[in-house]
Amino acid sequence: MKPIRKAVIPAAGFGTRLLPATKTVPKEMLPIIDTPVIQLVVEEAVEAGCEEILIIVSRGKSALEDYFDRAFELEAVLQNKGKTDFLEAIRRPAQLAKITFIRQQEMRGLGDAVLLAREFVGDEPFLLLLGDTIVRSDDGQSVARLLVDTYAANQGAVIAVEPVAREFISRYGIVDGAPVPGQTDVFRLNTLIEKPEPEEAPSNLAVCSRYLLTPDVFDYLAETKPGKNGEIQITDALRQSALARPMFARQIHGHRYDAGSKLGYVKANVLLGLQRPDMREQLASFIKELAQTL
Ligand code: G1P
């Protein structure tokens, strides 16, 4: 089996839901406490074994490229002042992996953005992680790692899914699958539908921003016509691929924070703040105090 060495992170969307902040700051650069969302996503890929990462950006997103570069002037200032913690922190992004960028010139959908990764990926399975979403499974395992394990057991593409309430079904790709005997939370997929109305949805299991894909997806993407909302949808390409070869879903038990949405962004800050030793206690007592007044 080929190891998973490469990850693709689309980060080209406008971030409309967080305007006006995203007028000049890409949504992926907004900090969760002190770390940009995109760094947390890159760290998840690295932790799952990836050494090469392609981030797909668009106009107005050069802050991401600067962030994963060195900053010699700032490094020199921090060095002179003996601020070694900060020095390490600003060097870290450039040291995480071999990170490259490509630009999507027109907003033609997630599928179109992913197709730009074809040459980078070549003939290997790869992780696809949406750059504005943080996922955490309850048992502390990284979701990307769960997908790698599921791929190793089944030798087919794997998509992370989680159940969603009926009223949210039309916001997601929804899958239909059958449980794989002997494997908890793993389904063999029959089909996937992008943002169906609840009455057309085959289940309530929603695609949740992490995928482990095989390179054949690019052949299907190249043939995919604009679908839902006039965009080229990766879900449509994956449905075609699932007809030709086994594809799987792995159900996640945890939390998904769409940091591109206002509420998701606030929740991600609170949750990750509670996990940080440097603020856990104070933040928890603040939340308890606050809860009594609500
Ligand atoms: C994309 C995918 C969708 C998926 C969602 C969350 O939609 O097209 O299938 O469920 O991400 O991972 P978007 O949120 O970009 O509209």
Side-chain angles (χ1 to χ4, degrees):
M1 186 193 97
K2 287 190 180 168
I4 312 297
R5 298 186 310 115
K6 293 183 180 175
V8 174
I9 304 182
F14 281 131
T16 325
R17 287 172 296 165
L18 284 177
L19 283 169
T22 46
K23 180 181 169 192
T24 53
V25 182
K27 61 178 167 173
E28 298 82 5
M29 284 304 297
L30 293 171
I32 305 297
I33 322 288
D34 55 6
T35 307
V37 175
I38 189 76
Q39 182 172 336
L40 298 171
V41 177
V42 167
E43 284 173 350
E44 184 185 339
V46 170
E47 195 280 327
C50 293
E51 296 156 3
E52 289 179 42
I53 294 174
L54 177 72
I55 303 181
I56 301 162
V57 289
S58 54
R59 278 183 300 286
K61 299 247 179 172
S62 34
L64 273 83
E65 292 171 62
D66 293 339
Y67 188 74
F68 288 99
D69 199 349
R70 297 285 299 269
F72 289 109
E73 243 186 330
L74 183 55
E75 285 178 27
V77 172
L78 294 171
Q79 183 112 51
N80 286 340
K81 292 191 171 165
K83 304 214 173 211
T84 46
D85 285 2
F86 285 131
L87 187 60
E88 250 173 57
I90 66 157
R91 280 184 176 157
R92 185 172 158 75
Q95 293 167 341
L96 283 168
K98 182 171 176 236
I99 300 176
T100 49
F101 294 84
I102 193 166
R103 277 194 183 202
Q104 185 188 27
Q105 293 181 344
E106 278 177 62
M107 296 294 171
R108 298 178 64 214
L110 180 59
D112 178 67
V114 174
L115 188 52
L116 294 171
R118 188 172 202 163
E119 267 182 49
F120 165 81
V121 166
D123 193 26
E124 299 182 30
F126 65 103
L127 276 165
L128 173 66
L129 307 94
L130 303 193
D132 63 359
T133 304
I134 295 160
V135 277
R136 288 279 187 271
S137 80
D138 290 336
D139 60 7
Q141 284 225 61
S142 100
V143 172
R145 171 68 63 185
L146 285 176
L147 297 187
V148 170
D149 294 347
T150 311
Y151 173 79
N154 298 285
Q155 298 297 304
V158 193
I159 301 168
V161 297
E162 62 170 5
V164 294
R166 189 178 157 86
E167 69 253 45
F168 298 129
I169 279 181
S170 62
R171 294 187 189 177
Y172 297 100
I174 301 291
V175 306
D176 175 43
V180 172
Q183 291 185 48
T184 316
D185 295 328
V186 181
F187 301 85
R188 164 98 190 247
L189 291 185
N190 301 317
T191 195
L192 307 87
I193 307 175
E194 182 66 10
K195 304 190 172 92
E197 291 309 316
E199 45 286 353
E200 296 155 10
S203 77
N204 68 339
L205 287 178
V207 174
C208 68
S209 72
R210 299 292 184 266
Y211 311 69
L212 197 161
L213 301 180
T214 48
D216 63 290
V217 70
F218 294 112
D219 294 336
Y220 295 104
L221 272 175
E223 298 294 318
T224 300
K225 303 272 173 293
K228 196 82 187 181
N229 303 329
E231 295 179 342
I232 297 178
Q233 300 291 352
I234 189 149
T235 306
D236 293 341
L238 293 174
R239 182 174 55 252
Q240 291 310 115
S241 175
L243 294 174
R245 66 198 73 214
M247 187 180 290
F248 301 86
R250 172 85 191 230
Q251 185 175 337
I252 303 306
H253 299 277
H255 298 280
R256 188 181 64 89
Y257 299 102
D258 176 355
S261 88
K262 290 189 257 291
L263 191 60
Y265 180 64
V266 174
K267 285 183 179 176
N269 272 282
V270 173
L271 180 92
L272 272 68
L274 286 172
Q275 290 174 355
R276 283 176 60 137
D278 63 342
M279 63 172 62
R280 193 193 142 68
E281 227 169 88
Q282 278 172 297
L283 183 59
S285 54
F286 169 70
I287 292 169
K288 279 182 208 153
E289 235 172 75
L290 198 63
Q292 285 168 4
T293 69
L294 297 175

